[in-house]
């Protein structure tokens, strides 16, 4: 039966576009699909619909869900509350419980028939390899599956093993490939090894039965989301004129490290290390705290006296900057007050930074400026354990209670993939901006997603210098902010602009173009580098299936005509 038996049985809004993945997955003998919808459309809900349909058919008894650790609890919660699908969470605490509760040597995946576990926990096949090889699942789900495509790494080997051990396989990713046709073919071959004969030469037609991709501007999506997803507000650039002490750092970076004009004594590093000055620049554009930390790490390994002297000089200038000398810090305080964040307000904001030292510094110094208590501010970054990350995300998503009056979440890009932050928040501040349209889009997608009740608003702090040739935030970051906004409104995704499909590749290409003398606009507007990239970009265009008619409904025999009749009969007997 290829019709949907449970299309109207879940605790979700009636959205036809979210039923399409289940419709497509059930067309084949083995349900296998890549859900490639862009950020915010509800891939978790689409996964839940597919799993519920399989369970109704008796084909979903054993289920394994593999996700990044920071979304374990969120994913588990969605599947339970919306679809009544219980998953045992095997995080660090869950693993310890298993070791206590089940006999030694017993396969934990036989003990718990439906489980959710982080990819980083499971990829340790030295610990779980034998258990995995001896298991067969009815369905395996791998979220953020773009992390699987590096041939030969632990995650890739894990995915290949799981693909062989399951009937149904559901992969999900908003950025499903890295710009390499062969790598993307490897991902598709997990679903169907026979789909692609030549991994270097294939078309969208060959694999259209295996993947589905929509954006917010896809007609079926746009026509149905209505007031449940307000249009995003403008991305606001908050110009922060550099203070005198910050200008001294800009001058030092420009003249000693970044100026490539032919003159004696410049630059301080040779051609083989031309990327490092940009590491220093990006650290300073985050904060003087981040710059000091970066310089200190470099000094531990530097060997050339000229570089050591230059690093010490830069460190002294950064160390001379106080909290009051930070233009961005003052602008952040003013912006948060303008948003309405404070002790007597219910307004919340999420503040992103790429730098952990910056996040620690802001968490320590900002709350008192707004009259907030320490427990009203949360800090999350990649160095925090999985249990704590899950607690933080949950606390930020809850309404006010006597025990929870969170107002600000300071976070790194660990929260930019998969984490829902929109339930109690519609203001996001980029304290520093990644040099990647993809990463900016991912960050914004934390609050700009289906279910947001208010207009999502984005604010970026732009540090501006008057030093000649200084590469401040107006040179790169502000331009990327505006381009991401334009791409989102017109195309629904930033990938169509960058033609890169990982944030790191995008940033590396941009820096190399800057070193070659190109502007940000010239870097973004250059033609695709080869036919392979153009072909992949075409495949990642909007893919729609059978949108003329709603999915066919299947007859679903029941003992009672309705829930009411069931309850009345239960009470009568």
């Amino acid at each position: 039966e290829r019709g949907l038996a449970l299309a109207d049985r879940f605790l979700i809004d009636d959205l036809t576009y979210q039923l399409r993945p289940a419709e497509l997955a059930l067309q084949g003998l083995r349900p296998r699909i890549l859900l490639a919808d862009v950020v915010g459309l509800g891939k978790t809900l689409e996964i839940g619909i597919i799993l519920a349909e399989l369970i109704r058919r008796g084909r979903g008894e054993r289920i394994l869900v593999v996700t990044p650790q920071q979304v374990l609890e969120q994913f588990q919660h969605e599947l339970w509350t919306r679809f009544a699908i219980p998953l045992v969470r095997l995080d660090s605490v869950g693993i310890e419980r298993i070791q206590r509760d089940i006999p030694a040597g017993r396969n934990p995946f036989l003990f718990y028939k439906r489980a959710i576990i982080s990819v980083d926990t499971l990829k340790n096949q030295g610990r779980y390899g034998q258990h995995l090889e001896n298991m067969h699942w009815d369905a395996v789900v791998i979220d953020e599956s773009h992390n699987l495509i590096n041939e030969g790494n632990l995650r890739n080997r894990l995915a290949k093993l799981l693909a062989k051990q399951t009937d149904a396989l559901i992969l999900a990713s908003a950025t499903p490939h890295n710009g390499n046709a062969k790598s993307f073919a490897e991902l598709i071959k997990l679903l169907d090894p026979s789909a692609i004969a030549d991994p270097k030469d294939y078309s969208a037609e060959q694999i259209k039965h295996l993947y589905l991709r929509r954006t917010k501007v896809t007609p079926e999506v746009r026509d149905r989301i209505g007031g449940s997803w307000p249009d995003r507000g403008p991305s606001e650039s908050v110009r922060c004129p550099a203070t005198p002490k910050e200008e001294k750092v800009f001058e030092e970076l420009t003249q000693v490290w970044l100026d490539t004009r032919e003159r004696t004594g410049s630059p301080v590093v040779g051609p083989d290390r031309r990327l490092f000055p940009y590491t220093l620049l990006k650290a300073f554009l985050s904060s003087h705290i981040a710059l000091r930390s970066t310089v200190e790490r470099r000094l531990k390994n530097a060997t050339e006296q000229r570089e050591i002297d230059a690093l010490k000089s830069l460190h002294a200038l950064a160390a001379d900057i106080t909290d009051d000398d930070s233009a961005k810090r003052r602008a952040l305080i003013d912006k948060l007050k303008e948003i309405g964040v404070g002790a007597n307000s219910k307004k919340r904001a999420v503040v992103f930074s790429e730098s952990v030292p910056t996040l620690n510094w802001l968490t320590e110094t900002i709350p008192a400026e707004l009259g907030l208590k320490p427990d009203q501010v949360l800090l999350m970054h990649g160095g925090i354990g999985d249990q704590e990350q899950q607690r933080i995300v949950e606390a930020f998503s809850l309404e006010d209670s006597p025990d929870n009056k969170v107002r600000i979440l300071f976070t790194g890009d660990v929260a930019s993939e998969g984490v829902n932050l929109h339930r109690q928040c519609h203001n996001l501040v980029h304290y520093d901006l990644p040099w990647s349209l993809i990463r900016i889009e991912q960050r914004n997608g934390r609050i700009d997603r289906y279910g947001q009740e208010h207009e999502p608003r984005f604010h970026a702090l732009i540090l501006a210098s008057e030093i000649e040739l200084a590469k401040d935030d107006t040179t790169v970051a502000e331009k990327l902010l505006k381009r991401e906004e334009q791409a989102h409104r017109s195309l629904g995704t930033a990938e169509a602009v960058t033609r890169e499909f990982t944030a790191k590749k995008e940033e590396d290409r941009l820096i190399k173009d800057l070193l070659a003398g190109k502007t940000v606009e010239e870097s973004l507007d250059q033609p695709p580098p080869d036919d392979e990239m153009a072909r992949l970009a075409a495949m990642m265009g909007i893919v729609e299936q059978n949108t003329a008619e709603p999915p066919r409904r299947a007859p679903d025999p029941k003992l009672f005509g309705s829930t009411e009749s069931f309850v009345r009969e239960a009470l009568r007997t």
Side-chain angles (χ1 to χ4, degrees):
E1 174 57 65
R2 292 182 171 85
L4 303 186
L6 305 174
D8 55 357
R9 305 280 188 84
F10 310 122
L11 192 62
I12 58 176
D13 293 335
D14 182 16
L15 298 173
T16 301
Y17 83 84
Q18 290 185 343
L19 301 177
R20 297 292 183 196
E23 178 187 35
L24 180 60
L26 292 172
Q27 297 305 305
L29 293 177
R30 293 202 305 170
R32 295 196 158 216
I33 187 172
L34 167 61
L35 303 181
D37 287 346
V38 300
V39 173
L41 264 63
K43 288 187 288 296
T44 303
L45 302 184
E46 294 167 357
I47 290 168
I49 293 169
I50 296 173
L51 292 178
E53 288 285 342
L54 293 176
I55 291 170
R56 185 68 184 89
R57 288 161 168 76
R59 300 177 64 186
E61 184 68 11
R62 292 197 174 276
I63 296 173
L64 179 68
V65 177
V66 183
T67 75
Q69 64 181 20
Q70 67 269 19
V71 299
L72 277 178
E73 184 166 356
Q74 174 183 292
F75 206 110
Q76 179 194 36
H77 181 266
E78 293 281 290
L79 261 62
W80 170 242
T81 58
R82 297 182 184 276
F83 304 99
I85 300 176
L87 300 174
V88 175
R89 190 168 75 243
L90 302 181
D91 52 21
S92 56
V93 173
I95 294 294
E96 291 178 5
R97 186 179 66 249
I98 287 175
Q99 291 174 338
R100 292 195 306 266
D101 294 348
I102 69 176
R106 181 78 180 271
N107 188 337
F109 302 112
L110 284 172
F111 198 81
Y112 298 108
K113 65 181 182 179
R114 293 174 183 166
I116 182 169
I117 190 168
S118 81
V119 64
D120 289 318
T121 298
L122 196 59
K123 73 182 181 183
N124 184 358
Q125 292 188 38
R127 185 175 183 181
Y128 299 107
Q130 183 178 356
H131 294 319
L132 295 176
E133 290 172 359
N134 295 329
M135 270 298 302
H136 181 84
W137 283 275
D138 295 310
V140 168
V141 177
I142 305 179
D143 194 21
E144 304 296 346
S145 56
H146 55 275
N147 294 318
L148 309 175
I149 59 180
N150 293 323
E151 180 70 26
N153 69 12
L154 290 175
R155 294 182 181 187
N156 184 273
R157 294 202 294 270
L158 167 65
K160 287 182 176 179
L161 175 60
L162 293 177
K164 292 187 297 183
Q165 304 293 100
T166 183
D167 182 29
L169 178 61
I170 306 170
L171 307 179
S173 173
T175 53
H177 70 84
N178 61 359
N180 181 282
K182 185 177 179 181
S183 294
F184 186 59
E186 288 294 324
L187 192 64
I188 293 296
K189 286 170 69 175
L190 292 175
L191 301 169
D192 182 356
S194 64
I196 297 174
D198 183 355
K200 295 182 180 179
D201 185 16
Y202 55 95
S203 66
E205 184 68 20
Q206 293 174 260
I207 61 175
K208 68 178 184 180
H209 63 294
L210 294 171
Y211 81 107
L212 197 60
R213 181 174 177 82
R214 284 79 54 86
T215 75
K216 194 176 179 181
V217 299
T218 304
E220 188 171 67
V221 178
R222 185 189 61 230
D223 295 343
R224 295 303 303 274
I225 57 179
S228 297
W229 192 353
D231 288 337
R232 60 189 271 179
S235 294
E236 176 196 15
S237 294
V238 181
R239 289 283 185 99
C240 312
T243 62
K245 289 185 178 180
E246 289 175 326
E247 289 286 39
K248 289 182 179 180
V249 176
F250 271 122
E251 185 174 19
E252 182 81 1
L253 285 170
T254 301
Q255 295 183 1
V256 177
W257 294 90
L258 292 166
D259 190 350
T260 57
R261 294 176 298 177
E262 291 296 330
R263 62 187 182 85
T264 304
S266 174
V268 72
V269 295
D272 58 325
R273 289 181 292 166
R274 292 175 66 199
L275 294 179
F276 178 66
Y278 279 88
T279 301
L280 294 174
L281 173 65
K282 288 200 66 189
F284 179 59
L285 292 175
S286 177
S287 71
H288 61 286
I289 302 294
L291 176 60
R292 281 168 45 192
S293 177
T294 302
V295 170
E296 288 165 2
R297 287 198 305 271
R298 181 73 170 197
L299 276 170
K300 292 179 181 178
N301 299 313
T303 56
E304 297 181 9
Q305 190 59 45
R306 184 171 176 231
E307 182 181 352
I308 292 172
D309 292 342
L311 287 169
K312 288 181 177 179
S313 176
L314 191 59
H315 187 275
L317 291 173
D320 192 43
I321 298 175
T322 66
D323 291 352
D324 293 335
D325 294 318
S326 171
K328 276 190 174 184
R329 180 180 176 278
R330 173 41 50 191
L332 175 63
I333 294 168
D334 293 342
K335 177 53 62 178
L336 291 174
K337 288 180 178 178
E338 181 185 319
I339 290 169
V341 176
N344 299 317
S345 169
K346 292 187 176 181
K347 287 289 184 69
R348 299 187 188 188
V350 55
V351 180
F352 272 94
S353 171
E354 290 189 298
S355 166
V356 172
T358 297
L359 290 169
N360 290 331
W361 169 59
L362 293 176
T363 304
E364 292 169 2
T365 65
I366 294 295
E369 299 278 0
L370 301 171
L372 298 177
K373 298 178 181 178
D375 60 356
Q376 292 183 284
V377 177
L378 297 172
L379 169 66
M380 187 167 83
H381 53 73
I384 293 175
D386 56 357
Q387 282 280 305
E388 182 64 9
Q389 287 186 20
Q390 293 165 42
R391 185 196 68 79
I392 289 169
V393 172
E394 181 182 18
F396 192 70
S397 300
L398 293 176
E399 291 188 60
D400 280 354
S401 70
D403 298 325
N404 180 51
K405 293 187 177 180
V406 176
R407 291 295 172 264
I408 306 175
L409 170 62
F410 290 107
T411 182
D413 286 322
V414 66
S416 67
E417 291 187 355
V419 176
N420 295 336
L421 301 176
H422 65 292
R423 293 191 177 93
Q424 305 297 329
C425 176
H426 63 278
N427 280 284
L428 184 151
V429 181
H430 299 280
Y431 192 81
D432 50 56
L433 277 162
W435 285 9
S436 159
L437 297 184
I438 292 173
R439 187 67 76 197
I440 295 172
E441 179 181 70
Q442 288 174 333
R443 284 185 179 184
N444 289 347
R446 298 312 99 214
I447 65 168
D448 182 19
R449 50 198 309 110
Y450 182 76
Q452 174 61 266
E453 296 180 354
H454 305 280
E455 178 186 76
R457 297 176 180 175
F458 310 102
H459 320 274
L461 306 185
I462 304 298
L463 187 61
S465 172
E466 294 184 354
I467 300 297
E468 183 183 2
L469 299 178
K471 287 181 170 58
D472 59 8
D473 278 326
T474 66
T475 308
V476 178
E478 189 173 44
K479 294 175 181 178
L480 293 177
L481 181 74
K482 294 303 180 186
R483 185 62 72 91
E484 186 276 339
E485 180 180 28
Q486 293 167 3
H488 179 88
R489 295 188 186 282
S490 61
L491 303 170
T493 177
E495 292 171 12
V497 176
T498 66
R499 297 172 304 279
E500 296 286 357
F501 301 91
T502 68
K504 186 178 188 309
K505 281 191 173 184
E506 184 188 355
E507 183 173 326
D508 288 347
R509 189 187 77 178
L510 177 58
I511 292 176
K512 289 177 181 177
D513 286 344
L514 293 174
L515 285 168
K518 294 181 180 179
T519 65
V520 172
E521 293 84 356
E522 289 170 340
S523 178
L524 293 177
D525 293 337
Q526 61 186 315
D530 51 40
D531 292 339
E532 176 181 301
M533 187 70 72
R535 186 168 69 253
L536 284 169
M539 278 192 283
M540 286 300 102
I542 297 171
V543 178
E544 297 185 73
Q545 307 275 348
N546 304 322
T547 56
E549 299 292 336
R552 185 173 66 82
R553 303 297 173 94
D556 186 22
K558 297 182 287 291
L559 292 175
F560 296 89
S562 67
T563 302
E564 180 183 351
S565 63
F566 165 72
V567 173
R568 288 187 179 279
E569 179 66 16
L571 292 174
R572 187 186 67 79
T573 57

